[in-house]
Amino acid sequence: MTTQDPARPAVAAGPPANAPVGTLAAYRLLRSLGKGGMGEVFLALAPDGSTVALKAFLISDDDDGLVAQAFVREASVGQRLQHPDIVRVLDSGSHGPYAYLVMEFVPGHDLRAHTRPGHLLPLPQLLRTVERVARALAAAHAIHAVHRDIKPANVLVHGPTDTVKVTDFGLARLGDAFRSRTGIIAGTPSYMSPEQLAEMSIGPRSDLYALGVLLFELLTGRLPHEGRSL
C-alpha cells in the first residue's frame, strides 16, 4: 500500500489529459489508499463534500472493449448489493481513458494484518467476523452474484465501530476480461477452488471454499496449501 502526505493531493499515475490535476470526473483525489493489479484506490471528496473511496482503472489499452464491458456489468451488480457487511457502491462512470467506481469509505484495515502468528484475532472475534462474511456472501449469492476473490485483503475491519465489510464485490468478474486479454488466471491462487483453478464453471461453492481457506489462515497464521509455483 502506498501513502502520501495528506496535505498534498495525490494524482493517479498518468491522469487523463483533459482532467484537472488532482481530480477525476467530479471527484477530488486526496491521497492514494493502495494499488493493485485491478487499479488504484484513492481517498476522495464527492461533489456533496462527503468522503468516499474511488477505484480507478486505466482502460485506454482495452482494444476489444472487454474490460469496459465487464466494468459496466459488474458496477451495476455492485450497486444492487445492499447488505450492512458489503461495501456500498455509490457511483460509477468513465473519464478520459479511466473507468472509476465510487464506494463508501470504510475506516480501519483489512484482515491481512491478522494472518501472522502473534497478530491473530481472539477466537470469539475471529468467529464473529467470519460469520458476518458468510452472511454477506449468502446475501450476494441470493441474487446470483459470486465474489470470486475472497481473501484477507478484501475484508475490511474496524474494531471501534464493530465494522466488517466485504469489498470488491462489484469487481469480481472484471478479472475474466483481463484474463481473456492476458492469459492470466483471474483471482488469487491460494484461495481459489479446484474448479476455479481449472477455469471451469464456478458458483457460490467457490466462494465458500475461499472462505474456508480464509478461516484456516486466520486461525493458524498460515495457508492450508503453499507452494513455490501455481
Side-chain angles (χ1 to χ4, degrees):
M1 180 173 290
T2 58
T3 58
Q4 199 167 310
D5 183 350
R8 298 177 58 191
V11 180
N18 58 345
V21 173
T23 68
L24 185 62
Y27 297 89
R28 180 186 172 199
L29 308 181
L30 300 178
R31 61 184 172 91
S32 175
L33 296 174
K35 294 181 179 180
M38 298 288 289
E40 184 167 5
V41 182
F42 295 92
L43 181 68
L45 282 180
D48 64 1
S50 62
T51 302
V52 296
L54 183 150
K55 192 159 193 174
F57 311 84
L58 183 65
I59 58 173
S60 60
D61 59 347
D62 177 25
D63 296 334
D64 298 324
L66 295 173
V67 175
Q69 292 170 24
F71 172 81
V72 171
R73 181 177 63 246
E74 294 309 310
S76 67
V77 171
Q79 288 171 308
R80 285 167 49 210
L81 286 167
Q82 300 293 324
H83 189 276
D85 294 333
I86 296 176
V87 171
R88 287 182 296 124
V89 175
L90 306 174
D91 188 19
S92 62
S94 61
H95 190 96
Y98 286 89
Y100 61 88
L101 194 71
V102 180
M103 301 163 286
E104 66 173 314
F105 172 71
V106 180
H109 58 275
D110 64 55
L111 284 179
R112 287 177 296 183
H114 303 293
T115 58
R116 302 187 306 276
H119 299 274
L120 303 181
L121 292 170
L123 184 59
Q125 183 181 356
L126 185 159
L127 294 177
R128 287 195 303 271
T129 298
V130 174
E131 179 185 3
R132 289 173 66 174
V133 174
R135 292 184 182 277
L137 289 173
H141 296 160
I143 64 168
H144 309 291
V146 179
H147 191 289
R148 299 177 177 228
D149 198 18
I150 290 295
K151 59 185 178 182
N154 283 337
V155 180
L156 306 175
V157 293
H158 186 237
T161 56
D162 190 32
T163 295
V164 176
K165 294 275 189 179
V166 180
T167 189
D168 273 8
F169 240 114
L171 310 177
R173 285 183 15 180
L174 272 176
D176 284 348
F178 278 90
R179 183 188 64 203
S180 65
R181 189 179 56 177
T182 64
I184 299 173
I185 291 177
T188 307
S190 294
Y191 304 89
M192 290 168 67
S193 64
E195 65 271 18
Q196 192 171 1
L197 281 169
E199 301 187 65
M200 298 167 61
S201 176
I202 67 172
R205 63 183 182 179
S206 297
D207 280 348
L208 295 183
Y209 179 97
L211 184 64
V213 175
L214 174 66
L215 175 59
F216 184 98
E217 187 177 18
L218 291 174
L219 285 168
T220 66
R222 65 181 180 86
L223 288 164
H225 305 291
E226 296 178 313
R228 295 180 180 178
S229 68
L230 179 61

